[in-house]
Amino acid sequence: MIEEYEKKGNEKNEQLLIDLCESYLFLGCSLSSESLSICISCLLKVALNQKKDEDAQIKVEMALLALSNIYLRIDAKTELYVNSIEKIIKHHQEYCNLTRLAYQSTWKFLINQFFCIRRLEDVIVNELHFAREARRELKELSNCVNWKRKEEEEGKTRIEAKEIMIIKRWLDELEAYFRSCKLWNEEFVGLLGSIVEIFREARDNHKVVSCNCIESLESITENRDVNVCCLLESGAVDVVMEELVQLNIENLRISYCLGFCSSICGRLNINKGKKKDIAEQKELKKKLFEKMEEQGYEDLIFVLCNCIVVKRTRNYFLITNFKDYFIYY
């Protein structure tokens, strides 16, 4: 139907074609290259509408949300698609014409393409300032949420539920991006700091969000292009240590926290490092352990060194009486 409507030229029903394209992308249907190209071209035309009225914003939001479902698909027109998305991001940065969901979806579409078009990273990091933008969005979204209200509590406003949903989408995208990024600047330290802040706010009443936060922090420890110093500066190490000494810690959060610690230990393993990096690793290791001792985590260091931990498909399992090994202050 998509291909048939596209061939009708001036006789085609534009809105019906838009509806068809959005529906197929939302459903995750397998489309031919021709159909996919039609969908992207059609919906980008909608997304490029720069009007600020509510009706136009809703249409733009739906188009961008649908486009954000496209992963790793490249054809001869990819360059044009990416240029259009860059234009949408830059226009919003200047005029703030998009809804929060639309803006997040725009970034999601661009980063989905980055995973197979590596040269996009320079544009994402240095030209469009992804880390700075994500940090600002997360902070503003977090300010709209009453984190003291329990996740399952009735009466949560529809607006607040939407803000939490967008926060989760950002965190999911960051978790995937952190594993693959190569470029790094000071803006990312601030972004990690905002994830730490959201985790602390969501820890007690919003388990899904708090798990997303720890998972994002864990993912970045596995990326060897990221300096461990950034994890210290951002407060990521502090929040993981705080979490590991909690009596009521959830099993899934234990898994992510232990993954975080395991990855850092691996990164600081002097025997596996290059000779030229050994001095730097020793200094960083010293700084990390001094910080942990300063915060009173000496017993936690001992526990993590002596507990039996088995890794299976990225899940970490502890000995049954794990909690009995902790000394609480």
Side-chain angles (χ1 to χ4, degrees):
M1 289 175 70
I2 289 170
E3 291 174 15
E4 287 175 2
Y5 268 90
E6 177 63 16
K7 291 174 183 177
K8 288 188 176 182
N10 294 331
E11 298 179 7
K12 65 187 175 189
N13 184 327
E14 289 285 354
Q15 188 55 53
L16 179 56
L17 180 59
I18 291 168
D19 292 342
L20 285 171
C21 291
E22 289 177 349
S23 297
Y24 273 87
L25 291 180
F26 280 130
L27 290 169
C29 295
S30 178
L31 294 176
S32 66
S33 295
E34 183 181 355
S35 295
L36 185 64
S37 181
I38 294 170
C39 285
I40 297 175
S41 298
C42 173
L43 297 182
L44 278 178
K45 191 183 297 183
V46 177
L48 285 164
N49 184 349
Q50 296 174 352
K51 293 181 180 178
K52 281 192 173 183
D53 64 88
E54 187 176 354
D55 185 54
Q57 280 195 321
I58 290 172
K59 289 179 179 178
V60 168
E61 182 178 84
M62 287 293 290
L64 288 168
L65 189 58
L67 287 168
S68 70
N69 286 283
I70 299 172
Y71 293 87
L72 307 177
R73 296 295 294 269
I74 306 176
D75 62 18
K77 295 182 180 179
T78 298
E79 193 75 32
L80 294 174
Y81 302 150
V82 170
N83 289 342
S84 294
I85 288 295
E86 288 178 35
K87 183 178 178 181
I88 291 170
I89 290 173
K90 287 178 179 178
H91 189 271
H92 174 76
Q93 288 175 347
E94 187 172 357
Y95 298 104
C96 298
N97 63 306
L98 297 175
T99 64
R100 295 199 186 282
L101 179 56
Y103 192 46
Q104 191 280 330
S105 298
T106 308
W107 277 109
K108 191 171 190 302
F109 177 87
L110 183 62
I111 289 173
N112 286 347
Q113 308 313 308
F114 150 72
F115 292 130
C116 59
I117 310 175
R118 302 300 306 189
R119 58 182 171 73
L120 279 178
E121 187 166 21
D122 184 57
V123 174
I124 289 170
V125 174
N126 297 319
E127 187 176 334
L128 299 177
H129 299 280
F130 170 61
R132 181 195 68 194
E133 294 294 297
R135 179 191 184 186
R136 190 197 66 244
E137 289 294 305
L138 285 173
K139 183 175 181 60
E140 292 180 2
L141 285 161
S142 180
N143 289 340
C144 296
V145 177
N146 178 4
W147 294 109
K148 293 181 180 179
R149 181 184 290 122
K150 292 186 177 180
E151 196 167 17
E152 66 278 4
E153 193 174 286
E154 292 185 10
K156 183 166 56 179
T157 68
R158 184 177 176 183
I159 292 176
E160 184 173 302
K162 184 175 182 179
E163 307 296 351
I164 291 174
M165 180 269 291
I166 302 172
I167 288 173
K168 290 177 184 176
R169 283 173 61 88
W170 272 113
L171 292 171
D172 286 342
E173 199 62 29
L174 289 170
E175 188 271 329
Y177 180 79
F178 285 155
R179 294 184 190 281
S180 302
C181 63
K182 301 290 183 185
L183 297 180
W184 192 262
N185 59 31
E186 283 300 312
E187 291 178 354
F188 279 89
V189 177
L191 175 56
L192 290 183
S194 69
I195 295 173
V196 168
E197 289 172 12
I198 289 177
F199 173 78
R200 286 195 168 119
E201 293 284 358
R203 175 163 43 197
D204 294 332
N205 297 321
H206 294 264
K207 293 179 183 178
V208 175
V209 174
S210 61
C211 276
N212 283 156
C213 290
I214 291 294
E215 186 176 11
S216 294
L217 295 177
E218 182 212 4
S219 69
I220 207 163
T221 63
E222 298 178 4
N223 187 335
R224 293 192 171 271
D225 290 295
V226 177
N227 195 311
V228 176
C229 279
C230 297
L231 300 168
L232 285 167
E233 292 172 22
S234 66
V237 172
D238 293 296
V239 83
V240 169
M241 294 300 104
E242 290 169 13
E243 185 66 4
L244 279 172
V245 296
Q246 297 301 309
L247 274 170
N248 60 344
I249 188 170
E250 295 291 326
N251 287 334
L252 184 57
R253 296 212 299 245
I254 285 180
S255 173
Y256 294 140
C257 288
L258 288 175
F260 180 98
C261 295
S262 176
S263 294
I264 287 186
C265 290
R267 296 278 301 281
L268 296 178
N269 188 330
I270 294 172
N271 295 324
K272 292 183 180 180
K274 298 177 182 178
K275 288 185 179 180
K276 66 177 182 178
D277 298 329
I278 288 178
E280 183 181 344
Q281 284 180 311
K282 283 183 177 179
E283 184 59 32
L284 188 55
K285 203 170 189 177
K286 181 182 177 183
K287 187 185 295 186
L288 179 63
F289 277 86
E290 282 178 351
K291 184 175 182 63
M292 290 176 72
E293 288 179 347
E294 182 184 309
Q295 297 297 325
Y297 295 131
E298 297 97 329
D299 295 299
L300 181 57
I301 296 171
F302 176 80
V303 171
L304 291 175
C305 291
N306 291 279
C307 278
I308 301 171
V309 182
V310 181
K311 184 177 180 181
R312 301 176 187 169
T313 61
R314 291 182 47 73
N315 288 319
Y316 293 78
F317 300 88
L318 296 176
I319 52 179
T320 306
N321 58 337
F322 173 69
K323 291 177 183 177
D324 296 338
Y325 283 80
F326 287 122
I327 297 175
Y328 298 94
Y329 296 93

